[in-house]
Amino acid sequence: MIKQRIEKLRKIMKEKGIYSYLIPSSDYHQSEYVGEYFKSREFISGFTGSAGTAVITLDEAGLWTDGRYFIQAEDELKNSDIELFKIGEENVPTVEEYLIEKLPQNSKLGFDGKVICAKEGKTLGDKLSFKNISIEYNYDLINDIWEDRCSLPNKKAFLLGSEYTGASFSEKLARVREAMKEKKATSHIITTLDDIAWLFNIRGGDIKSNPVVLSYVVVDLDSVYLFIDERKLNDEIKAELNKENVKIKNYDDVHKFVKEIDENQVVLLDPSKVSYSIYNNIPKNVQKIESINPTIMFKAIKNQVELKNIRNSHIKDGVAFTKFMHWLKTGVCKQEITELSATEKLEEFRREQDKFIEPSFTTIAAYREHAAMMHYSATKESDYKLEAKDLFLVDSGGQYYDGTTDITRTIALGAISEEVQTHFTNVVRGMIRLSRVKFLHGCRGYNLDILARGPLWDLGIDYKCGTGHGIGFVLNVHEGPNGFRWRVLPDRDDSCILEEGMVTTNEPGVYVQGSHGIRIENEIVVKKLEKNEYGQFMGFEVVTFAPIDLDAIDERLMSDNEKEYLNDYHKEVYKKIAPFLNEEEKEWLKEYTRSI
């Protein structure tokens, strides 16, 4: 089927004189996760991971993805004639390098300009200019061969009140306009869905697990234009928008609107977020200020109301996960449990919690070697039955009205080997070392990442992903610009200075193909400590509370300080979670939060 689709695409490419066609994973808003309508790269390649780029030429095909998906992509691309390019590996060309080599002189590169950001489109144009390559960006060729493509989503939006967000739409709009004035901009184009949701305090269901609404926004100093399917807006939202005289326009009208921007306007936009099509539709003589959206930093630094709600949502989520862990550890010998049924049970426990909306991403429930695939998703065909042995990795989270959660625990269902126990213990040690660090303000995630990787690097092993990512407030589970990574990646917005109120995950791991995978993940909040003549010292507050499986730890490998930290953490777990458990669960939790 994949081969047939590629041949159909090539036929259309030949008709239009296109030698190579580029298909990214994004939607019109550069979203990481996208709705079904936008899964063109999955349609043409068969690869289901969230990150990747397909390139189809008239005689070759390639798929680029990162280390989270190497194992999965190898499996899903079998027999497709699509070559896998492992991003970041030695001697593997980038998409740009591949195109520079493969595109003949005077040929044409095609892509849908609505799903390619302006920065990438311009960079490709510049780097291919020496071969006189022209770019055709007005065609969505996948749409021409995708016969049963679904419609755009039409889920209703809802308003998130100030009791959750800590600031009204009017207050946030004033901050954005103040930032615009500082940059001497008179107009600001926002296309990223989480930035729009944050600004307007609206949430929706247009992308599974990401409570956003398909929309665009143009903010002027005296007016606001919201491009959206108006049927998604209820009376409560409209009343809030009317306070600032927001003008509602059709979702698709944004491209026509930007063509008519007055030449006296000074437009603020982020070329890594705004699409190539929108960027090119802005009249050439309109001055552009290319900079990150002010909302990105505003959104990343949570206010005190948001932090209070986040702490509360994590208690509920910790209760759900602890109940699940008790059910799993005590039930694996008594009943049939599979990866899929465990996933369903965990969601059942979450749905019992107050203000739960939906999972914050597709649960990764991976037994044995499945856990070596970082983003494994169980299917009916792959579903493993759990046994009273080996490790079971569960990475999951919830969207609540008062917060977004992301937690990973790797659980020993029975006996594990000494090597696996060593790997597990060193993952825990790395997580602890990063959690308890004290650092000066000005540090970025890459200054601290070695704390998490150090115990694994000592063993001569590593993991092919970041150590942690920022996380939204009732928004996307992955959110820039904060994160932990051992090096800066130009296409990753996760290397900013760590500021008080930022929420980041802490999740080192080990992934051994064909054997096992281990990840332990807590969310941590940046906080201020003492300030003295040396500067402002900072630290982290842990907000995730659930037991770390002591059955898999070799305490002989841990320092006294590391054991003390783990014991103190487990005391807090018991203190915060036990009041919401029944007597059997409490007794179990007491055993699994014991001091070592």
Side-chain angles (χ1 to χ4, degrees):
M1 183 180 294
I2 296 300
K3 292 179 181 179
Q4 293 171 339
R5 291 173 180 174
I6 291 174
E7 287 309 309
K8 287 182 180 179
L9 176 61
R10 284 176 173 149
K11 182 179 179 181
I12 300 174
M13 289 166 59
K14 288 177 182 177
E15 292 171 356
K16 297 187 179 298
I18 293 171
Y19 182 84
S20 182
Y21 196 72
L22 183 70
I23 309 121
S25 301
S26 57
D27 57 13
Y28 299 158
H29 308 272
Q30 301 305 305
S31 304
E32 177 187 14
Y33 297 103
V34 301
E36 294 300 317
Y37 178 86
F38 294 103
K39 293 186 177 179
S40 297
R41 189 227 60 227
E42 180 179 327
F43 173 82
I44 200 65
S45 70
F47 169 60
T48 61
S50 68
T53 299
V55 175
I56 310 298
T57 75
L58 293 179
D59 48 20
E60 294 183 12
L63 186 286
W64 281 255
T65 192
D66 61 53
R68 295 172 295 170
Y69 294 110
F70 288 170
I71 301 172
Q72 178 181 339
E74 284 177 349
D75 182 59
E76 291 182 338
L77 296 179
K78 283 178 183 176
N79 304 316
S80 69
D81 291 341
I82 299 174
E83 183 179 357
L84 173 61
F85 292 87
K86 299 179 178 181
I87 295 174
E89 294 293 278
E90 192 173 358
N91 299 320
V92 174
T94 65
V95 172
E96 292 173 3
E97 291 167 343
Y98 177 88
L99 291 172
I100 288 171
E101 178 188 350
K102 299 293 182 179
L103 280 163
Q105 195 85 14
N106 303 316
S107 62
K108 185 183 292 185
L109 169 66
F111 53 75
D112 178 2
K114 292 181 179 180
V115 297
I116 295 281
C117 74
K119 181 180 178 181
E120 183 179 0
K122 291 196 298 176
T123 298
L124 284 170
D126 291 343
K127 292 192 174 182
L128 294 169
S129 61
F130 80 99
K131 297 181 83 170
N132 197 32
I133 306 297
S134 61
I135 290 180
E136 175 56 72
Y137 66 92
N138 288 317
Y139 297 127
D140 176 5
L141 299 188
I142 300 300
N143 193 61
D144 294 342
I145 62 173
W146 194 347
E147 296 178 357
D148 57 349
R149 190 174 193 174
C150 64
S151 302
L152 288 173
N154 57 2
K155 298 287 182 66
K156 292 285 187 180
F158 62 93
L159 187 70
L160 202 62
S162 295
E163 69 273 21
Y164 297 118
T165 66
S168 68
F169 162 52
S170 295
E171 291 170 319
K172 292 179 176 182
L173 181 62
R175 289 182 72 188
V176 170
R177 283 180 168 152
E178 191 60 37
M180 290 168 58
K181 291 174 184 176
E182 289 175 3
K183 293 181 179 292
K184 297 183 169 33
T186 61
S187 185
H188 179 27
I189 299 174
I190 310 175
T191 62
T192 34
L193 302 181
D194 55 335
D195 288 305
I196 295 168
W198 176 88
L199 175 60
F200 286 87
N201 287 338
I202 59 174
R203 302 294 190 267
D206 283 350
I207 300 177
K208 180 183 177 182
S209 299
N210 294 254
V212 294
V213 187
L214 292 178
S215 51
Y216 303 92
V217 169
V218 177
V219 178
D220 292 342
L221 294 178
D222 56 2
S223 56
V224 181
Y225 302 90
L226 174 62
F227 301 84
I228 195 169
D229 181 347
E230 190 172 353
R231 294 171 298 180
K232 297 178 181 180
L233 305 178
N234 59 32
D235 291 342
E236 185 182 21
I237 294 173
K238 289 182 178 180
E240 194 68 17
L241 299 182
N242 284 337
K243 292 178 182 178
E244 295 294 338
N245 194 29
V246 175
K247 298 174 178 64
I248 300 172
K249 294 185 172 290
N250 291 332
Y251 174 66
D252 291 327
D253 286 350
V254 66
H255 296 89
K256 178 183 177 183
F257 182 90
V258 299
K259 286 181 180 178
E260 299 170 354
I261 291 177
D262 188 271
E263 63 180 12
N264 295 317
Q265 293 273 42
V266 180
V267 177
L268 172 64
L269 57 81
D270 185 344
S272 67
K273 306 296 184 184
V274 169
S275 75
Y276 191 67
S277 291
I278 287 178
Y279 186 93
N280 286 329
N281 278 346
I282 299 171
K284 299 296 183 185
N285 56 347
V286 171
Q287 182 183 344
K288 303 183 189 74
I289 299 174
E290 298 186 3
S291 177
I292 66 168
N293 297 338
T295 45
I296 287 177
M297 191 60 74
F298 296 158
K299 174 166 49 67
I301 300 175
K302 276 57 177 178
N303 61 44
Q304 290 304 311
V305 173
E306 288 173 316
L307 289 173
K308 180 182 177 182
N309 282 311
I310 286 168
R311 294 183 188 103
N312 189 58
S313 68
H314 275 279
I315 297 300
K316 293 182 292 185
D317 206 62
V319 169
F321 196 89
T322 301
K323 284 176 172 285
F324 168 76
M325 192 169 168
H326 164 262
W327 169 82
L328 182 68
K329 296 274 280 187
T330 59
V332 71
C333 294
K334 303 173 185 176
Q335 58 185 302
E336 180 172 309
I337 302 174
T338 70
E339 293 168 331
L340 285 175
S341 68
T343 299
E344 293 167 359
K345 189 66 177 181
L346 177 53
E347 184 172 333
E348 180 183 315
F349 283 124
R350 281 200 169 98
R351 291 196 177 279
E352 293 173 357
Q353 304 303 311
D354 184 42
K355 296 183 173 67
F356 178 79
I357 301 171
E358 63 178 336
S360 57
F361 56 97
T362 300
T363 296
I364 300 165
Y367 186 45
R368 292 181 178 167
E369 73 273 11
H370 282 170
M373 292 184 276
M374 296 183 196
H375 281 211
Y376 168 78
S377 183
T379 64
K380 290 180 179 179
E381 293 73 30
S382 70
D383 192 21
Y384 270 174
K385 177 184 175 182
L386 308 187
E387 302 176 57
K389 61 181 180 180
D390 301 322
L391 295 180
F392 182 44
L393 185 153
V394 183
D395 186 349
S396 66
Q399 295 284 7
Y400 300 81
Y401 282 95
D402 49 2
T404 300
T405 68
D406 185 359
I407 175 177
T408 308
R409 291 293 183 266
T410 306
I411 301 162
L413 300 182
I416 57 176
S417 70
E418 184 177 344
E419 178 192 39
V420 170
Q421 192 173 31
T422 297
H423 287 175
F424 186 100
T425 305
N426 280 282
V427 168
V428 174
R429 291 180 61 221
M431 190 273 294
I432 289 172
R433 288 171 58 177
L434 182 54
S435 300
R436 64 192 296 268
V437 67
K438 186 175 184 178
F439 59 97
L440 278 168
H441 179 261
C443 280
R444 302 170 187 264
Y446 58 74
N447 299 124
L448 306 178
D449 187 78
I450 191 173
L451 294 167
R453 291 183 196 266
L456 299 172
W457 284 1
D458 288 343
L459 298 176
I461 55 179
D462 189 32
Y463 43 97
K464 295 180 182 292
C465 62
T467 295
H469 53 83
I471 190 164
F473 177 75
V474 199
L475 274 175
N476 299 353
V477 77
H478 294 159
E479 177 182 279
N482 46 305
F484 299 111
R485 192 178 295 277
W486 68 272
R487 59 177 173 173
V488 176
L489 296 181
D491 61 337
R492 293 277 186 175
D493 181 24
D494 61 1
S495 301
C496 74
I497 291 173
L498 296 170
E499 301 287 355
E500 183 180 35
M502 286 182 170
V503 184
T504 317
T505 63
N506 172 6
E507 46 180 316
V510 169
Y511 308 93
V512 180
Q513 186 171 356
S515 178
H516 61 278
I518 300 162
R519 181 161 62 249
I520 304 292
E521 175 186 22
N522 283 344
E523 287 182 37
I524 52 180
V525 182
V526 180
K527 63 179 181 179
K528 287 183 178 177
L529 301 176
E530 74 268 25
K531 185 176 183 179
N532 56 31
E533 67 270 28
Y534 303 106
Q536 176 67 61
F537 282 92
M538 314 289 284
F540 294 120
E541 171 196 354
V542 177
V543 292
T544 303
F545 294 98
I548 294 167
D549 194 355
L550 297 176
D551 290 343
I553 284 180
D554 183 348
E555 60 184 270
R556 297 171 300 176
L557 301 176
M558 300 180 71
S559 69
D560 290 341
N561 286 336
E562 290 164 352
K563 285 187 278 191
E564 180 183 12
Y565 179 92
L566 183 59
N567 290 339
D568 288 343
Y569 172 76
H570 273 153
K571 287 176 185 176
E572 283 296 303
V573 170
Y574 188 83
K575 177 182 175 182
K576 293 178 183 297
I577 302 301
F580 302 96
L581 306 179
N582 62 36
E583 290 306 313
E584 179 185 337
E585 292 164 340
K586 281 182 184 178
E587 285 303 308
W588 177 89
L589 182 60
K590 187 178 294 183
E591 170 65 14
Y592 277 89
T593 55
R594 67 189 183 276
S595 293
I596 62 171

